[in-house]
Amino acid sequence: VSAEPADLLVVHAGELATLAGPAPRTGPALRDVGALPDGAVAIRGEHIAAVGPTRELERRFRAARTIDASGRLVTPGLIDAHTHPVFVSLRAAEFEMRLQGRTYQEIAAAGGGIRSTVAGVRAADDDALARAVEARLRRFLAEGTTTIEAKSGYGLTLADELRSLRAIREAARRVPVGVAPTLLGAHDVPPEFREDREGYVRLVAEEMVPAAAREGLAEFCDAFVERGFFTVEDGRALFRAARAHGLRPRLHADEFSDCGGAALAAEVGAISADHLLHVSDAGIEALRRAGVVPVLLPGTHFSLGLPSGAPARRMIEAGLPVALATDCNPGTSLTESLPMVMTLACVLLRMTPAEALAAVTVNAAAALARAHDRGRLEPGLRADLVVWDVPDHRALPYYYGVGHAETVVAGGRPVWEKKTHA
Ligand SMILES: [Zn+2]
């Protein structure tokens, strides 16, 4: 009997959470992680060859390497559907000022706020930008994340937004994390356009979008549609330009107020609407009908100490395919850890551990138009998986604030392993 060759076999998983089946998951299906007892995964090349009981796969395959996952949780590689990784300096002084009750205006007057991050990015050379993103990608990997969405948005000039997107592309060549790049030229109105917001919107729509598309630097176009930032009309104009150049819309919506962001997301056929702390019932219904994935970012309201988060339970009850993300950024949520975000989603948004896991795997893949090739453990999909040092999916958000990823496999290769020290 000749066994089939495999490059890697992961066997005897304490819980193999496959998330297999229809994607994305909604309603009661969100509570089912598709667990296989004593499960195994066979990998050939960059893809999953088979998933099944260990006994069966050990008989069927002859593997070059075997990982014993006894007593451990195995999941698909996590997917972070909302990050802002292109920045060079931190804002810890601002964090401290905020804790002491200083207002946003006082912080801005002291040189803090998004403007300080923008100044840092504009002053950094290309190599420094790429190295900053590269370091962040390695931390995502160490937390079990194998795919991220990555936004520009701290350059806010044509040249600096393109440099930011090129830094994302260069970092993705150096680190085995899948990257879905997004142009976020409409993150904020830069100081030099303070009196001419419409002029800045034209710059983004007529210059940044075509240039990013021409160079193949972005898949998505995002905008911060919020009172004091960009209006629904601005968003409509930007997304029309984005569509014309093949960039799919996604947006920051209804974070600080219900200003029609969810309705706009539905109207322009956005792939995701993110934040949604103040989304209305009509907004939820519009998202459902248009098939928009809501991406919730509980790290943000946690970091800012806001009283309540997005209405996750209402969205799940309405049948929405809820996803979760870190919003990794230096102002409002500085973390690369999706397991930490799962904890916040469970405790603050009342999601169950199973719902939180689906939200950072299969549903996050849908938020990035990648549900066809990742986010589940199924034959034919990309071999991205994580062996965790906890016994099951409930323990991952329960045991919080420490790194649980033991082995991270991306594209079929073990690319990160936790070091043990005597
Ligand atoms: Zn964001």
Side-chain angles (χ1 to χ4, degrees):
V1 184
S2 62
E4 296 174 47
D7 296 307
L8 180 63
L9 209 49
V10 179
V11 298
H12 294 304
E15 182 184 73
L16 184 70
T18 65
L19 284 305
R25 281 182 181 242
T26 57
L30 274 171
R31 297 206 175 200
D32 175 13
V33 299
L36 271 187
D38 197 28
V41 180
I43 292 167
R44 197 182 300 125
E46 293 182 2
H47 296 96
I48 296 171
V51 179
T54 295
R55 189 168 18 83
E56 199 178 297
L57 265 57
E58 277 184 334
R59 206 178 309 135
R60 184 172 150 196
F61 292 95
R62 182 171 27 80
R65 183 183 167 188
T66 298
I67 295 174
D68 185 343
S70 295
R72 288 160 169 74
L73 168 69
V74 177
T75 71
L78 305 188
I79 298 174
D80 196 333
H82 185 135
T83 86
H84 301 256
V86 194
F87 57 91
V88 288
S89 49
L90 304 186
R91 284 152 54 184
E94 181 182 326
F95 174 64
E96 186 179 51
M97 287 176 75
R98 210 165 58 218
L99 297 175
Q100 291 165 337
R102 306 291 179 76
T103 65
Y104 180 85
Q105 286 75 14
E106 288 171 322
I107 289 168
I114 186 172
R115 280 191 196 185
S116 71
T117 302
V118 170
V121 165
R122 289 179 179 180
D125 65 24
D126 294 354
D127 186 48
L129 278 187
R131 275 188 287 110
V133 182
E134 177 186 355
R136 224 147 271 135
L137 288 189
R138 292 192 195 286
R139 277 193 291 273
F140 278 108
L141 208 54
E143 298 292 335
T145 297
T146 51
T147 300
I148 69 164
E149 184 264 5
K151 304 174 197 297
S152 65
Y154 293 119
L156 308 184
T157 66
L158 173 63
D160 291 308
E161 286 298 301
L162 295 178
R163 288 197 318 117
S164 297
L165 291 170
R166 289 189 203 109
I168 291 169
R169 183 174 63 187
E170 176 56 29
R173 285 186 183 132
R174 299 178 192 171
V175 186
V177 171
V179 173
T182 298
L183 171 66
L184 179 55
H187 195 188
D188 195 3
V189 179
E192 59 276 17
F193 279 89
R194 208 36 85 182
E195 307 304 320
D196 183 19
R197 195 191 76 249
E198 287 87 350
Y200 185 65
V201 171
R202 278 197 302 276
L203 173 68
V204 177
E206 293 169 16
E207 297 189 42
M208 290 185 195
V209 166
R214 197 161 47 236
E215 230 184 290
L217 287 170
E219 284 177 46
F220 302 103
C221 180
D222 193 344
F224 204 83
V225 177
E226 193 62 58
R227 201 166 295 152
F229 293 84
F230 296 94
T231 65
V232 166
E233 289 69 37
D234 295 337
R236 204 171 271 138
L238 282 169
F239 292 135
R240 195 179 310 119
R243 280 271 183 214
H245 288 87
L247 305 188
R248 183 122 188 232
R250 56 188 326 124
L251 63 155
H252 287 69
D254 303 337
E255 180 179 5
F256 302 118
S257 61
D258 175 14
C259 56
L264 176 65
E267 175 194 323
V268 301
I271 193 158
S272 77
D274 303 22
H275 284 295
L276 300 170
L277 271 72
H278 296 276
V279 68
S280 64
D281 285 336
I284 289 175
E285 180 53 21
L287 295 176
R288 192 191 61 76
R289 239 181 285 139
V292 181
V293 179
V295 179
L296 311 186
L297 311 165
T300 308
H301 90 264
F302 167 73
S303 286
L304 292 176
L306 301 179
S308 61
R313 291 254 57 94
R314 260 164 57 209
M315 292 185 201
I316 290 169
E317 275 151 31
L320 295 191
V322 169
L324 290 164
T326 59
D327 196 15
C328 178
N329 80 84
T332 58
S333 182
L334 188 49
T335 182
E336 290 93 359
S337 172
L338 277 174
M340 181 69 198
V341 167
M342 291 170 69
T343 298
L344 298 175
C346 291
V347 174
L348 303 177
L349 306 185
R350 298 286 159 196
M351 289 174 68
T352 68
E355 289 168 343
L357 181 61
V360 297
T361 53
V362 54
N363 287 7
L368 299 184
R370 280 159 169 73
H372 61 285
D373 83 341
R374 67 194 71 189
R376 291 166 287 146
L377 299 177
E378 276 185 34
L381 270 65
R382 260 182 73 85
D384 295 345
L385 63 81
V386 184
V387 180
W388 304 91
D389 70 0
V390 292
D392 65 48
H393 71 276
R394 295 165 306 180
L396 194 55
Y398 157 67
Y399 189 170
Y400 70 94
V402 293
H404 287 298
E406 200 171 78
T407 304
V408 180
V409 174
R413 290 187 305 120
V415 293
W416 192 88
E417 281 173 275
K418 187 185 276 184
K419 299 266 194 303
T420 47
H421 299 280

